Amino acid sequence: MLHHGSIDQFLTRVADRSVVPGIDALARTVRVTAAREVPLDRHGATLVYIASGAAKLVARAAVEREQVAAFNFTGDLVTVPGPGPHAYVLVALVDSELVVLPYAALRDAVRSDPAVLARLLDNCDAALGRCREKALMLGRKTASERIACFLLAMAPRIGATSGAAILLDLPMSRRDIGDSIGLTIETVSRQFSLLRDSKLIGTEGRSKVLLLDLPGLELRAGYQQNPN
Amino acid sequence: MLHHGSIDQFLTRVADRSVVPGIDALARTVRVTAAREVPLDRHGATLVYIASGAAKLVARAAVEREQVAAFNFTGDLVTVPGPGPHAYVLVALVDSELVVLPYAALRDAVRSDPAVLARLLDNCDAALGRCREKALMLGRKTASERIACFLLAMAPRIGATSGAAILLDLPMSRRDIGDSIGLTIETVSRQFSLLRDSKLIGTEGRSKVLLLDLPGLELRAGYQQNPN
DNA sequence: CGTACAATTGAGGTACTTCAACTTCCGTGG
DNA sequence: CCACGGAAGTTGAAGTACCTCAATTGTACG
């Protein structure tokens, strides 16, 4: 039986094997071009696997007031919440290949499959951990701390080591960054300039950021060493 | 074999049965009095079941700058993150009975137990959903919207219907509320006063809040009906 | 009933936003 | 290859929502 390549990739990465009973009836492969919203069935939560590309999970607080709940990259698994007090949409940041599944139906299909459940739980734990760090940032950090936190959080996810420095090729705009960390584009821009002046980062073009001084950035981010 | 009552309760609620192999070696029952930090092994993440009481999960952004990541109540399951860029502690809001387990060891013990994994996943999904709503609130809502959101979020968790209204007996202080929604105690207090003046809520003593007008509060909270 | 702490209320300060103008980047077409 | 044009980003000046500091009032516990 023939699978689309993205679903194969999803199965081997998420289930550690090529077959999950009933998955073909659920999974749908979608190509989405940059800046386009991922089309979803809106009857409940949706699970999206990013076979390639990058996306932002956006919550609408009001017209012209959006909060980026998460950025996700190739290989990531995202759950998009269903109906609730606020509407969530997934928007591609670059041309992307995605596998889309209704979350409830998937959960039911893998109900007695501990390996897949464990994988989903790992993924959810990681997302929760990142979301808590984001909440901390949004609630109790200054603008300059937020930018440093943001860059440090991106480093392990999309950073490439470049000598002693780390190179980030950010697929999101200043507006997306601002919507993610609760600032305006102007404030984001000013803070980037300040970090550049402090020699903590270097920039190249619109999207490339070079993290020059990680300890300095961690200090700026207000990272507290866990005292234990 | 004799279990402590709280562990029994944990097992029947989380595993839907009274036995999980190896659980006795892992689980520890703890009584914590109000305002006390829950003692945890700090080698990794910890799972805490609240057999009775209430607790706040606190992240330290800096000295005198705390963010409440979550409030949890009787019957809730909380994962406390282990070492990372910021330190997390769980603090009892009232006298509480808790079951404490090292998360990694528990995960290993239930590795091939789909029922427990599914329960943990349900719990994590719910926590992630609430955390995302909190991030939205912290990033893009005004002070008055935040208070309304907070009260509406508490309603289904600890609210008691009182005629057409909902009565909340809040176990947390104004400072805790402020640390949860990213405001100072003074701003929280002022917003409570404004809501009272608008007849959207009533208050009684320090802790009791009566939600008088849910549609009005939802409007004030900036809830967007999911358009689908 | 008195004390200690929590909450409220007021006045002034500030970090970030808003509004505006300018500059840079980069894809497109000459 | 270079020039053009529009969007993205940067920088500056003024405004505002929330914070900080301070004093008062309220609440619950001994």
Side-chain angles (χ1 to χ4, degrees):
Chain A
M1 174 171 197
L2 276 175
H3 275 122
H4 185 287
S6 295
I7 294 183
D8 275 344
Q9 183 185 333
F10 165 72
L11 286 170
T12 49
R13 283 211 39 140
V14 175
D16 274 330
R17 66 194 112 96
S18 59
V19 182
V20 168
I23 201 78
D24 291 307
L26 297 176
R28 199 160 47 86
T29 299
V30 184
R31 277 169 195 278
V32 182
T33 56
R36 277 245 132 61
E37 186 178 325
V38 178
L40 302 173
D41 297 332
R42 296 230 135 273
H43 301 101
T46 310
L47 189 73
V48 178
Y49 173 72
I50 304 182
S52 73
K56 58 176 175 179
L57 177 63
V58 178
R60 298 231 159 88
V63 208
E64 293 291 296
R65 257 161 87 206
E66 300 195 332
Q67 173 68 32
V68 172
F71 289 117
N72 289 96
F73 308 100
T74 302
D76 284 355
L77 215 46
V78 202
T79 54
V80 183
H86 299 98
Y88 287 79
V89 295
L90 192 68
V91 179
L93 294 171
V94 298
D95 294 358
S96 303
E97 273 196 26
L98 312 167
V99 180
V100 177
L101 309 95
Y103 188 57
L106 175 76
R107 280 293 305 273
D108 195 55
V110 302
R111 190 178 32 198
S112 54
D113 187 331
V116 176
L117 287 170
R119 194 57 71 93
L120 291 174
L121 183 51
D122 282 339
N123 183 71
C124 190
D125 281 334
L128 179 57
R130 289 192 299 265
C131 194
R132 282 173 171 166
E133 284 294 311
K134 167 168 294 215
L136 167 58
M137 190 163 82
L138 292 170
R140 286 285 176 252
K141 297 253 176 192
T142 65
S144 94
E145 290 170 334
R146 290 183 203 196
I147 297 286
C149 281
F150 168 78
L151 292 172
L152 288 171
M154 283 299 124
R157 303 186 75 197
I158 54 169
T161 52
S162 168
I166 293 177
L167 176 65
L168 297 178
D169 192 349
L170 300 174
M172 73 289 284
S173 68
R174 296 285 186 272
R175 173 166 300 282
D176 291 332
I177 295 172
D179 286 345
S180 168
I181 64 181
L183 300 172
T184 60
I185 45 174
E186 292 93 333
T187 302
V188 171
S189 185
R190 277 184 256 270
Q191 294 300 331
F192 265 100
S193 299
L194 290 174
L195 286 178
R196 203 180 319 107
D197 295 347
S198 309
K199 310 287 186 200
L200 293 176
I201 66 168
T203 58
E204 190 190 323
R206 284 172 183 168
S207 63
K208 290 191 183 61
V209 178
L210 203 56
L211 310 188
L212 299 170
D213 178 1
L214 289 178
L217 280 169
E218 287 175 9
L219 201 68
R220 186 68 71 104
Y223 277 9
Q224 301 285 307
Q225 222 56 278
N226 191 320
N228 297 280
Chain B
M1 171 174 201
L2 277 174
H3 275 122
H4 186 287
S6 294
I7 294 183
D8 275 344
Q9 183 184 333
F10 165 73
L11 286 170
T12 48
R13 283 211 38 140
V14 175
D16 273 329
R17 65 193 113 95
S18 59
V19 182
V20 168
I23 201 78
D24 291 306
L26 297 176
R28 200 160 47 86
T29 299
V30 184
R31 277 171 196 277
V32 183
T33 55
R36 276 245 132 61
E37 187 178 325
V38 179
L40 303 173
D41 298 331
R42 296 231 138 274
H43 301 102
T46 309
L47 189 73
V48 177
Y49 173 72
I50 304 182
S52 73
K56 58 176 175 179
L57 177 63
V58 177
R60 296 234 158 87
V63 208
E64 291 292 296
R65 259 162 84 206
E66 300 195 331
Q67 174 67 32
V68 171
F71 290 117
N72 290 96
F73 308 100
T74 301
D76 283 357
L77 215 46
V78 202
T79 54
V80 183
H86 299 98
Y88 286 79
V89 295
L90 191 68
V91 179
L93 294 171
V94 299
D95 294 358
S96 303
E97 274 196 27
L98 312 167
V99 180
V100 176
L101 309 96
Y103 188 57
L106 175 76
R107 280 294 304 274
D108 195 54
V110 303
R111 191 178 30 201
S112 54
D113 187 331
V116 176
L117 287 170
R119 194 57 70 95
L120 292 174
L121 183 52
D122 282 340
N123 183 71
C124 190
D125 281 335
L128 180 57
R130 287 192 299 264
C131 194
R132 281 172 171 167
E133 283 294 311
K134 168 169 293 216
L136 167 57
M137 190 163 81
L138 292 169
R140 287 284 177 254
K141 297 252 178 193
T142 65
S144 94
E145 288 171 335
R146 290 183 204 196
I147 297 286
C149 281
F150 168 78
L151 292 173
L152 289 171
M154 283 300 123
R157 304 186 74 197
I158 54 169
T161 52
S162 168
I166 294 178
L167 177 65
L168 297 179
D169 192 349
L170 300 174
M172 71 290 283
S173 67
R174 296 286 187 271
R175 174 167 300 281
D176 291 333
I177 296 173
D179 286 346
S180 167
I181 63 179
L183 300 172
T184 60
I185 45 174
E186 293 94 333
T187 302
V188 171
S189 186
R190 276 184 256 270
Q191 293 301 329
F192 266 100
S193 298
L194 289 174
L195 286 178
R196 201 179 322 105
D197 295 347
S198 309
K199 310 286 186 201
L200 293 175
I201 66 168
T203 58
E204 190 190 323
R206 283 174 184 167
S207 62
K208 290 190 182 61
V209 178
L210 201 56
L211 310 188
L212 299 170
D213 178 1
L214 290 178
L217 281 169
E218 287 176 9
L219 201 67
R220 186 70 68 103
Y223 276 10
Q224 300 286 308
Q225 222 56 279
N226 190 321
N228 296 282

